[in-house]
Amino acid sequence: MASGEQRPARMRRLDDLLAEAGGRVPDLIKIDTVKPTTGFSVSGSPGTNGWYVSSPVSVTLSRSDATSGIASTFYTVDGGGEQPYTSPFPLGEGEHTITFWSVDSA
């Protein structure tokens, strides 16, 4: 089973921006309220009832963000540690739970 999990977008306070700019009002403040989306696909030899008959299968994550772009994407397998996604990853024999999410560049 796989699920996409949305993580809260990073937000910066206006007074933080002003402090970084030395008290000057920046010329342009950009606001990104669109969360990134992350999907997945599995490649291998499909069998019946959602099972694959080849091992390992390869999981590819796809991500998009309409405004600021994607800063990073992460995943976990079977509740394990958080892994940065950089390329398709293999899954061996058995039933697995994959959780994945992306963080935008805002």
Side-chain angles (χ1 to χ4, degrees), residues 1-2 4 8 10 17 19 21 28 44 54 59-60 90-91 93-94 100:
M1 175 176 20
R10 292 182 294 163
L17 292 171
L28 178 64
S54 61
V59 178
T60 301
L91 288 178
E93 189 171 335
F100 49 85

Side-chain angles (χ1 to χ4, degrees), residues 37-92:
T37 59
T38 309
F40 76 100
S41 63
V42 178
S43 62
S45 300
T48 59
N49 297 323
W51 287 89
Y52 286 79
V53 296
S54 61
S55 181
V57 296
S58 182
V59 178
T60 301
L61 300 180
S62 58
R63 56 253 162 121
S64 66
D65 183 74
T67 51
S68 64
I70 301 293
S72 53
T73 298
F74 301 93
Y75 70 95
T76 66
V77 177
D78 298 331
E82 191 175 282
Q83 300 293 318
Y85 178 78
T86 56
S87 62
F89 56 93
L91 288 178

